Amino acid sequence: MDYDAYVPDSSRWAKSGLAYRVLGHDAATYYQYAIYVAEGLGKNSFNALRGIKDWRTDDQNGEQNDLPALSKGKLKDFFYIRNLYGNIEDVFNRPVYSSPEDWIDVAIREPESERGYFSKLVTTPQSRRCLNLGSYNYLGFGGLNTHCTPLVAKSVMDYPVTSAGSAAELGYNPLIKEVEETTAKYVGKEAAVVVGMGFATNSTVIPAICGKGDLIISDALNHNSIVEGARLSGAKVRAFKHNCVGDLELILQDAVAGKQRYNKILVIIEGIYSMEGELCCLPEIVEVCKLYGAYVWLDEAHSIGAVGPTGRGVCEELGVDPKDVDIMMGTFTKSFGAAGGYVASDYETVARIRQYAAGCTDACSMPPAVCTQILSSLRVISGEDGTDIGAKKLRQLRENSKFFREGLEALGLEVLGHHPSPVMPVMLYQPYKIGDFSRLAFNRKLAVVVVGAPATPVNYPRIRFCVSAAHSREDLADALAAISDIADELSIKFKVAPPNAWFPGSIHDKEEKEKQLSIKRVAKARAARSAALDSGSKLASGTNRARFAPLHSVGEPLGDDIGPPRSSTGPIDAYKLSGVTEKHPKWNQYKVMLSSSDVLGLTDDPVMKEACAATVEKLGLGSCSPRGFYGTFPPHMDLERTIADFLGVQEAVMYSYGACTVSSVIPALGHRSDVAVVDRGVGYGVLAGLRLSKMDVRWYNHCDAADCARVFAQLETEDGVHSARLARPGRRRWLITEGCFQGTGRLAPLPDLVALKDKHHARMIMDESVSFGAMGASGRGLTEHFGVNPKCIDVISASLENAGASVGGFCAGDTGVVAYQRLMGAGYVFSASLPPYLATAAAHAIRRVSAEPRLVERAQASAAALRDAAVSGRIPGFTTDADPGSPIVPLRLAVGASVVDENASLADVAARARRRGIGVCVARVNPLVPPDNRPPRALRCFGSAAHSREDLADAFQVLAEESAKVLPSHALSAGVDASPGAKNKARLGADPGSMVMNPPGQVPPKSGGYGSPKNAPGAKINLDGTISLNKDSVRRDIFAKGDEAKASAGKRNGLHNRSASWSVNSMNGNPDNAPEMFEALSPVKESPMANGSASIGAPRRLFSDHDSPQSLSVPLLVVLLYWHNIFRRYILNQIDITTHMVPRWLARIGLHPTESRGPVRFFYCAAGYIGSRNFHSMALPLLVWTYDCGFTRLVMVFYCMTSGVGCLLKGALATNTSSSRPANSSLGSLMPHRVHAWPSVAGCNATALPFLILRWRHGDVWLWDMEEPKAVAREYAAAFAYMFAISLARMGNGDSPANVQGGVVVGAIMLRVLLPHIDWCIGGLEASTVFTAQGFALVGMVLAAILLFPMPLNARGEILYASSTCYRRMWRTFFYMLFFAAGSVWREGPGTRGIELPTTPAGWAGVLAAKFVVGHVISQFSVWAISYVAQLFVECWLRAYVKYFKPWSVGEHRRGKKGGEEEGESKTYGTTHMRLVAITVVELAQDITGALVTAHGVPRLFDTLRPYTSLRI
């Protein structure tokens, strides 16, 4: 965008920024939003006409597989993204090329293409130096500074990049301990615990101290991280009016004295509200909470280090003793220029948080360099460095905040908040001013943050200024002068030029009203205080708090190697201060690290650390901003490109914390109306995402594809092809799994799951946190391991804290999947971005994997050795469930090794091994994980490229010796059990580990077994109850593979797959050559089944199904099939030739449908619509209603006849590739989709209809005998041009030139057949009865077409999707034609009254418009009403069938079968066919109603209205 020449949108007359002076703020805002929406719709329509896709919502995988739209359930969000966000996208996510200091280099972005609107923005090397007024770098410790940067760079080189473990396991180190102790001392609490991400500090810690039975009272304007944490806790959540102590007290009174009793009450508030700039009413809130015994959680993300004489936050600023605040939370991303957050409280509460918070148990601990940044900045702020630099910074920040706030107010701007908040929001109100202000500020070298919906209410967009101690007074004065000029230009000095006082909308007016209401609430609460306290005191003796449970009372005490549960010093001391620090004498050393997630051994790699140190020296450590607000740096963009290229997907988006990645992805994409099919073994992140999304969750057994198929079958009985519903299902389906499960080491059966999700039209989310970078020949994860195309997975999510040797995570997939998360992914939008040096580390690790595949091979070899040692008995008493190829190998006690306390025994073995130099620990499973999803207790063991053979041998020996000392004798002598991994190997029929070396593109054999012998490959159930090998099924599978191979070869050669469904390409082209092979594959003999077991001595049958002929034919059919194949081959050869030739010709003359621009694209869109069924369904009825005569009715009948015959021929000549997308039979009925086959129906109608009408107008005389031959010639030329335009449009829509040519020929032939019999046909339509020769001929032709419709089959004996669709369209068209003809006969024509037509253009326009609107409204309403009634009737009938008749019908002859799978099978038995019958009934009702209303009802209505209207205008 050319910012220098930018003219504000709000300065244009239609979008006037002064409209608020007349309409008030609310009306002016909604007025601009109306224009905003209209402009967005217009721009998108223009893009559509030019063939430009909306890249933000592009869902290529969903479109190809006919999946429900990503926007389902989120239409409001997608509407905003498509039509509103594109106008202001350039003001968000601006990359920054410099460190986040007081001045920053903001990158300039340009549109990727000049075509159309809303083009994707591309970052250029150019930048503009701007004053940073949008960063959270309050004290100036972010970016490069002499106090922190040298120490951080040294820390990067001295310590590993990350700890490669959680703080609850072996990721706790002395630096983290020092940070916690220093922080607790600084804020004035007993103890503190740190989390690696500020957002996660709230979202993962709140569920650790609150749960079901508790009450959380949250401020209405609390941050999203608090909202997410409260929702995850399971506690009851109530919101009180923002900063209204009276409303809070009323809620507390209801909680204390009401009917419902709570375990404890937690009130959550923020110190400074970032979107309002207000300080909380902390003294009053603390006083009220003390009265009613509620605990107080204070979020000081924006206040710690920013307010208070010594920077200790709002407690110090407002004079509140920290002891009166039960929990103090804060982040290090703002004033400290680092990353992460802390929670400070008493010892007991902190100990509970360590055990229950997912940020401690399921995420990588805080990296050493981040700890160094925090400690160095804290020392400066508190003065422990021996200087007064910290005090000066705090004083400078306070003075700068006061100066800037007073300056903004003096300009007449509407400023929110209180002094001394460094956050100063300024109101904009109108939406166009969002982009205008940011662009004009950028022109004046100011980097500002503008905020709109959904972060703020839709009518209250605003600017958010953030002031830093690093700003000089001169820079701020210059900024105020520039802001004044912009405010004048945009008319936002609302204090100088206020809005119309008669209309509402000012936020200050709203705040004044809220203050008055707050005073009333306070008075009401005080009046009821005594009664509420008396009621509460009766519940328990002593103070009110005595009746509430302690703050740390969640769940049961834990007794494992993490330490005593009721002491906060216990867990700290019990954490083995380890990490991957073998070369650092300050930290404890381990000879072998088994529990480190550093799979590739890169966290201590010197090359990686040098790259990270270089990034720190250039950009500093912290980003100090979210990605959308000047928190995007070159390492972030580089990492996202690297991940997308590495996985081979369109795009990737990076999250700043691994534990919040998948838990943000799932709720961003899912909706409460969706249903999720989920593996029971998923971890805490997936469970949190499911809880936040509120989807209907259906569990299937761990890594069991057959059970997953059972769940999907159950869904089909509810809303799919086996249900009693006829309409498209209202629920999207998601299949959610992990690639490699961290709890068990099992591998998801990916080929089976992909087949299931395709079959049932579900979307798939796979978390590859463990498998990414560690599985597959080149580390591309489970997809490469199994040879599955990554594009088959809709959403791939993973943490970068394992093989990535960093912190954070990512989500990869189609552009629409990624672009949506940049606006709606909570962990992306509401969190500060990842420190740039950690993005550098992750990108380096991925490039190392690509350049050095041996790293992956060594890690896989290490994991294989671990697994072999476990299953072979080298470690007595232990085994593993891990599958071959898994990078994680949990060691659990073998089956039969019953001990008194399994966890204590594992912890004892681990502690003894650590004392001997083996870094291993008990796998920490978050206690909040439900028991059904909790993996067995085990030792955490990862394979690693850092392990040598000697290291592993030493580790195995130590573990064997220590287990022999700890475990009882019967446990040591327990045999190695057949682990589920081994069973899975047998089920798959191949070793998954061997698939690592599969050649590219080779797909390993898929597993079978989908729940019943009937559905299992190669098995069938005979009518008499015997089970035998289904040779036909095996034959079909073999030939299907041949067809698939041939289809793929055809696609590679750029040709149509012309023979995929007609020739058999296996067994040397002859399926009959393989009977010996089938016999060899048939070890199972027929065995009569009775009551689930084989009956011995059952009489042998004299005849079997094998004696029956496989097919039956007659000579006539043989001849017809022979000529059909010859003609079909000729047509398909013509398709191949013309498909390659015609597009080149069109490109040469500038008429190529995709390469052309502007008018050509508009021509294709317009011509395509004119030739479509939708246009004819609108235009032909209007023709009948306007010219009410027999000929116009014949035109309608002839149109139906040509369309039906065209569908008949298309179906007969269809192939597997004729349909651009498969018919989605699971969505209720055969949903309409495009079919490209010979001939084109549009081509038939383009020839037949215009020339039929011309023949009617001018008769059958020769041209030179007509009165006006030139006029007639022009009309015929127009008809030829119409035919040519429709033909070009069809080719642009995907039809081959041969198909269009065939349509023109077929239409001409049908027209030539009709012309000699026009009078005879019209006579039939004007007859007085339907029992005429014409009527019987029409019925006969329809019945012949329906009964003799040729139906091509594919190699599996199934009707082609394209053919079945053509058949459905044909009989629906023919039935419409029959009843339209019947309605025409039953209608009493105009007769002697004649047809009254207007004589002026205005009259024509009025008549056509009136008849079009009235006729189609009546017709559509009638069809809808009858269809609705018919659907209700057949659904009631179908429910009765499913509930009563079907169980009775299938119960008699299956009474002896076993329950399990037969019970699931009986639910679907016969339902599919009955649903098709029901759907057919509804569709017939629609067609019959539409035909009769069009031919009879609407014309009769117009006859009735004719005496009351004058048509002669």
Side-chain angles (χ1 to χ4, degrees), residues 69 99 126 279 422 499 552 590 603 784 1064 1129 1176 1178 1254 1422:
S99 59
Q126 290 78 29
L279 275 67
H552 54 79
Y590 291 123
T603 57
E784 185 180 39
V1064 230
R1129 290 172 186 171
H1176 287 101
M1178 293 291 180
L1254 288 176
S1422 302

Side-chain angles (χ1 to χ4, degrees), residues 1335-1353:
F1336 288 118
L1338 202 61
V1339 173
M1341 285 188 294
V1342 170
L1343 291 178
I1346 293 176
L1347 297 178
L1348 299 179
F1349 184 91
M1351 292 187 178
L1353 308 178

Side-chain angles (χ1 to χ4, degrees), residues 60 197 236 320 339 464 604 609 949 988 1050 1097 1439 1477:
Q60 182 177 348
M197 177 191 188
K236 182 178 178 60
V320 176
R464 188 176 68 176
D604 211 16
K609 293 199 292 186
R949 184 174 302 177
L988 287 171
R1439 289 190 183 95
V1477 172

